[in-house]
Structures are given as C-alpha cells and as structure tokens.
C-alpha cells in the first residue's frame, strides 16, 4: 500500500510540476497585460472564455471521459476517434449558428458592442480545446502524465508569446489569438506524446462509430449533462456580473477569480487526473482506494488552508503590487470569494470518484442542483455587488460541502462491498 501511495504522489508530482510551470508563464504574462490593457478588455475576454468553455461540452458530450474505461486499447481508440469526429461536426454547426443567430447569442454571451466580432472566433476555440481534451484522456489512459505536463508548458509558452506581442502592439484581439495558438500547439504536442507511448490512433468504420456512441451513451446522458452544468456553474457568474454591474466590476471579478483558481489549476487538476486513472484501475481489479484518497485529501486540505491565509491577510498588497492600483477592488473581492473557491478546491478533485464507480446519475443530480442555485442568481439583480459576491460564495460553500458528503458516502459503500467480497 505504501508503494501504491508513492505511485500516486509521483504521478501527482509529475503533473503538478508541469502545471506549475505552465501556469507560472501566463501568470507572469498577466502582470504587464493587466497594466497595459483596460479593464473592459479582460471583461470581454472572460466572456469569450466562458463561451468556449460551456460550448466545448456540447461538442464532445463528454464521450472522451470514457477513454479510460475499456480494458482493450482498440475500444479506447474507437472512443477517441468517435469523439474527435463529433468535435469537428458540432464545431462547424456552432460556427454557422454564430452567423445565423448572432444577436440572440450576443444576449446570451454579452460581448460589448466593440467586441461583438469576437463571437465568431469562439467555434475555433471550441474545436481546438475539445480536440485536445480528447487526446488528453488518451494520455491519462496510458499514464502519460509527463507528456501532459509537457503539453501544458508548450501551450502556455506559445500563448504567452502571442499575448506579449499583442500587448506591445496594443491589440486586444491578441488575447484570443494567443488562446487559439496555444491550444493548437497543445494538440500537436499531445499527438507527439501519444506516439511516444505507442498508442496508435486508427480510423474506424461508420458502423463502429455509431456502435461506440450507443455503447457509452451513459456518459453524455449523465456525465455530459453534469459537465455542462459544471461549466455553467463555473462560467455563468461572470456573464451575470457583466450584465448586472458592467465591464468594470466584471473585469475586477475576472482577476479575483483568476487568482483564486490558481491552486485548482496547479494542483487540483493534477490530483483529479491521477485519481481518475488510479481509482478506475483499482475498481477494474476489485481493489479498494480509500487509503490513497484519504492521504491525498489531507494534502489538499493543507493547501486549501494555506490559500485562505494568504488571501485573507495579503490580498491587497499582492494585487496592487503585481497588477497595479486599478485592481485594488479585485483584492477586496477575493477576500469574500475565497471561501467558496476554497470549498471548490477541496472537493472538486475527488469528483472523478463518481466516474470510477459509475455513479453518474448521482453526480448529475448534484450538478443540476448546483446549476439551479447558480442560475437563481439571475433573480438577484437588485443586490449591490458586494452582497451578490457574498451570496455567490456562500452558495459554493454549501454545494461543495454536499458534494464532499456524497463522495464519502459512495466511497464507503464501495469499500464495504470490496472487503465483504
């Protein structure tokens, strides 16, 4: 068991180092960007990121999550190829919709008038990020964690280069171009890493395509729905804030959220991907994973408390020193939001246990509840921004506490079934 725990920590460390470097690059780039571009630029860029984040779930319907499930690589290949084809078709449809229904979509994704053209770039971003997500799950399956780390560094390096160049030329659209270039480099790097692992992606027949979609239909029905609602919960608040309080408050919120999500991006995603592979493997072999998860939870708890202490005590000097005095309001906002984002960081990495145990319906019910709570914020237009942030943060604390309870419940039931068997 000690060896198993060492393996878990090794894989998490491998991913975390890569993610640390990959996120350190854009964080450094943010410092000059936040000083050069106006706050409204970041408010609209966050709308773009929200649009592609939500839409990316629709392109693949989360079929890529099933890549780690089959015992045979040929079945995993069929899922990967099917998902890549699905990504392309749906992305083309979304591109057509941005021209046919531009005005209704601009009400849903409230780009300011001078940034409305950014809507048509969203489908390209959706296709790129969806395609990489599929290839990323292939790497998770073959335990290519070092390759995943390399991909992230390559992506952020390319993205950062374009962002810096755009700031020098004072081209706000360079933020989107940087995202597109970064994700393209991500895909190229992922293909190379998959080949190194000797996993060959082969074409499949039309019959095999439809058979694969039917066989794993529980993923889009259950996990696809939950993932969509998860994106809604994460990304809709910026859309609500922009509609209610304008570009200034939305831009400030975007920076506060960016800083608060750093631990989640650096550590939580690494933990999540490693746990998905480890727990899925143990479930296939009829083994328990309770001790591994418990050990990792203690690590996550320590990191969560560390983040809260730093934000509550030092947010104002950190924000103003790094990004400039115009972002002082974001520092105060982060003190309110830190409790909700800390709850997210503590619970969300372990949500992959729902996948490993195929408890997708339970996850769907939780996610729908969370989405209803977030969407109910549209009814709070009369609140001032401070009261709104407090309500939003409290909602996240409640819902992620509930998720943690459900994870403990299903893990204990599985552990009891294994030990009795």
């Amino acid at each position: 068991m000690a060896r198993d725990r060492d393996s878990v920590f090794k894989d998490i460390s491998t991913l975390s180092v890569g993610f640390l470097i990959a996120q350190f690059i854009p964080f450094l780039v943010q410092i000059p960007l936040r000083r050069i571009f106006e706050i409204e630029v970041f408010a609209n860029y966050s709308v773009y990121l929200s649009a592609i984040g939500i839409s990316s779930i629709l392109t693949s319907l989360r079929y890529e999550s099933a890549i780690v499930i089959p015992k045979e690589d040929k079945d995993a290949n069929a899922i990967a190829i099917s998902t890549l084809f699905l990504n392309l078709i749906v992305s083309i449809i979304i591109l057509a919709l941005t021209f046919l229904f531009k005005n209704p979509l601009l009400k849903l994704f409230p780009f300011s008038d001078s940034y409305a053209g950014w809507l048509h770039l969203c489908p390209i971003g959706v296709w790129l990020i969806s395609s990489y997500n599929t290839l990323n799950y292939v790497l998770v399956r073959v335990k290519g964690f070092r390759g995943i780390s390399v991909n992230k560094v390559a992506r952020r390096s390319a993205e950062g280069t374009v962002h810096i160049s755009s700031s020098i030329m004072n081209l706000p659209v360079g933020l989107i171009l940087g995202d597109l270039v970064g994700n393209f480099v991500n895909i190229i790097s992922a293909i190379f890493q998959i080949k190194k692992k000797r996993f060959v992606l082969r074409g499949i027949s039309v019959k095999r395509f439809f058979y694969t979609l039917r066989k794993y239909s529980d993923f889009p029905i259950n996990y696809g729905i939950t993932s969509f609602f998860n994106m809604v919960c994460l990304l809709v608040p910026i859309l609500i804030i922009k509609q209610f309080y304008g570009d200034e408050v939305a831009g400030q919120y975007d920076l506060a959220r960016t800083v608060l999500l750093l631990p989640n991006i650096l550590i939580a995603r690494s933990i999540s991907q490693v746990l998905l592979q480890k727990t899925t493997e143990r479930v296939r072999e009829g083994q328990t994973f309770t001790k591994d998860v418990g050990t990792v939870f203690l690590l996550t708890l320590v990191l969560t408390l560390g983040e809260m202490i730093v934000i509550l005590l030092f947010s104002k000097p950190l924000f103003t020193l790094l990004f400039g005095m115009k972002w002082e309001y974001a520092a105060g906002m982060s003190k309110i939001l830190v409790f909700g984002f800390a709850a997210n960081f503590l619970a969300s990495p372990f949500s992959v246990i729902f996948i490993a145990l195929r408890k997708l319906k339970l996850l769907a019910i939780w996610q729908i509840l969370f989405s209803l709570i977030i969407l109910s914020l549209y009814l709070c237009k009369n609140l001032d921004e401070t009261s709104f942030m407090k309500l939003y943060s409290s909602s996240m604390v409640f819902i992620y506490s509930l998720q943690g309870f459900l994870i403990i419940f299903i893990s204990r039931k599985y552990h009891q079934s294994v030990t009795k068997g």
Side-chain angles (χ1 to χ4, degrees):
M1 186 60 70
R3 182 181 298 178
D4 291 335
R5 284 197 297 268
D6 290 342
S7 175
V8 172
F9 280 119
K10 180 182 178 182
D11 291 337
I12 290 173
S13 298
T14 300
L15 275 176
S16 296
V17 169
F19 281 137
L20 180 61
I21 297 173
Q23 294 304 318
F24 189 64
I25 294 171
F27 188 77
L28 285 179
V29 172
Q30 284 282 316
I31 296 174
L33 290 182
R34 294 280 174 173
R35 292 175 179 270
I36 294 172
F37 290 129
E38 295 299 322
I39 294 175
E40 69 171 14
V41 174
F42 295 98
N44 286 278
Y45 182 51
S46 67
V47 173
Y48 162 80
L49 293 177
S50 297
I52 67 171
I54 294 172
S55 301
S56 65
I57 304 299
L58 300 176
T59 60
S60 66
L61 302 177
R62 295 302 285 174
Y63 272 109
E64 71 273 16
S65 302
I67 291 173
V68 299
I69 300 297
K71 292 184 178 181
E72 300 293 333
D73 282 348
K74 64 178 182 180
D75 295 325
N77 172 77
I79 299 171
I81 296 300
S82 299
T83 306
L84 288 171
F85 182 71
L86 200 61
N87 290 341
L88 178 61
I89 296 301
V90 179
S91 295
I92 292 173
I93 294 173
I94 292 175
L95 178 61
L97 292 176
T98 63
F99 287 97
L100 294 174
F101 302 100
K102 180 179 179 180
N103 290 333
L105 287 174
L106 285 176
K107 292 182 179 179
L108 183 62
F109 301 106
F111 288 103
S112 300
D113 291 341
S114 55
Y115 298 90
W118 287 11
L119 178 68
H120 302 303
L121 295 174
C122 291
I124 303 174
V126 169
W127 174 65
L128 290 172
I129 194 171
S130 299
S131 298
Y132 173 72
N133 285 340
T134 301
L135 299 176
N136 185 70
Y137 272 95
V138 174
L139 285 171
V140 171
R141 176 183 177 83
V142 298
K143 303 181 182 180
F145 300 115
R146 186 180 299 276
I148 293 173
S149 296
V150 171
N151 298 342
K152 296 299 182 184
V153 174
R155 174 201 171 186
R156 293 303 186 180
S157 298
E159 179 186 81
T161 300
V162 176
H163 282 173
I164 289 296
S165 300
S166 67
S167 68
I168 294 173
M169 295 183 288
N170 196 27
L171 292 174
V173 73
L175 294 179
I176 292 182
L177 295 179
D179 177 75
L180 298 179
V181 170
N183 279 314
F184 178 75
V185 170
N186 214 3
I187 290 174
I188 300 302
S189 179
I191 293 173
F192 177 74
Q193 297 298 331
I194 289 171
K195 287 184 177 180
K196 284 179 64 177
K197 284 291 184 178
R198 303 185 185 279
F199 187 99
V200 181
L201 291 169
R202 297 183 176 89
I204 60 174
S205 65
V206 175
K207 182 179 180 180
R208 179 70 168 174
F209 169 74
F210 286 108
Y211 170 78
T212 300
L213 296 187
R214 288 195 303 270
K215 183 177 180 180
Y216 295 95
S217 60
D218 58 326
F219 278 83
I221 293 173
N222 295 310
Y223 192 47
I225 294 174
T226 62
S227 297
F228 175 77
F229 282 122
N230 182 57
M231 281 295 180
V232 167
C233 294
L234 179 63
L235 300 176
V236 161
I238 184 67
L239 305 180
I240 298 175
I241 291 168
K242 191 172 186 299
Q243 286 186 10
F244 285 5
Y245 309 112
D247 285 350
E248 178 72 22
V249 176
Q252 297 283 352
Y253 168 80
D254 176 62
L255 179 58
R257 181 186 63 175
T258 299
V259 173
L260 292 173
L261 281 175
L262 269 179
N264 200 310
I265 295 171
L266 296 177
I267 306 295
R269 291 183 182 179
S270 304
I271 295 173
S272 178
Q273 291 186 353
V274 172
L275 282 180
L276 176 60
Q277 190 275 324
K278 295 293 183 182
T279 54
T280 301
E281 185 176 63
R282 297 210 188 286
V283 171
R284 283 201 302 258
E285 297 173 355
Q287 299 176 354
T288 182
F289 52 77
T290 305
K291 290 186 178 180
D292 291 335
V293 172
T295 303
V296 175
F297 175 77
L298 291 177
L299 171 64
T300 309
L301 179 61
V302 171
L303 294 173
T304 301
L305 294 175
E307 177 196 20
M308 294 180 66
I309 291 172
V310 170
I311 292 298
L312 292 174
L313 297 180
F314 307 109
S315 61
K316 183 176 179 180
L318 282 175
F319 276 69
T320 54
L321 177 65
L322 292 175
F323 307 109
M325 291 301 298
K326 67 180 179 181
W327 298 102
E328 183 177 353
Y329 186 57
M333 196 180 293
S334 69
K335 290 185 178 180
I336 298 173
L337 296 171
V338 67
F339 299 99
F341 281 88
N344 176 305
F345 177 48
L346 191 59
S348 61
F350 302 93
S351 64
V352 294
I353 293 175
F354 288 103
I355 303 174
L357 298 179
R358 302 295 289 267
K359 300 295 184 181
L360 302 181
K361 291 184 180 179
L362 182 60
L363 179 60
I365 293 172
W366 174 85
Q367 195 64 70
I368 291 172
L369 175 62
F370 191 8
S371 301
L372 291 175
I373 291 174
I374 293 299
L375 292 174
S376 69
L377 295 176
Y378 272 110
L379 303 175
C380 303
K381 189 173 183 177
N382 294 329
L383 292 178
D384 61 84
E385 55 262 36
T386 301
S387 299
F388 181 90
M389 297 300 169
K390 290 179 179 179
L391 178 61
Y392 173 43
S393 185
S394 300
S395 300
M396 286 199 292
V397 171
F398 165 75
I399 201 67
Y400 281 111
S401 298
L402 177 60
Q403 185 188 59
F405 170 79
L406 293 175
I407 291 171
I408 293 172
F409 176 74
I410 63 175
S411 297
R412 283 184 174 178
K413 285 195 67 175
Y414 172 74
H415 176 73
Q416 290 172 358
S417 67
V418 171
T419 54
K420 287 181 180 180

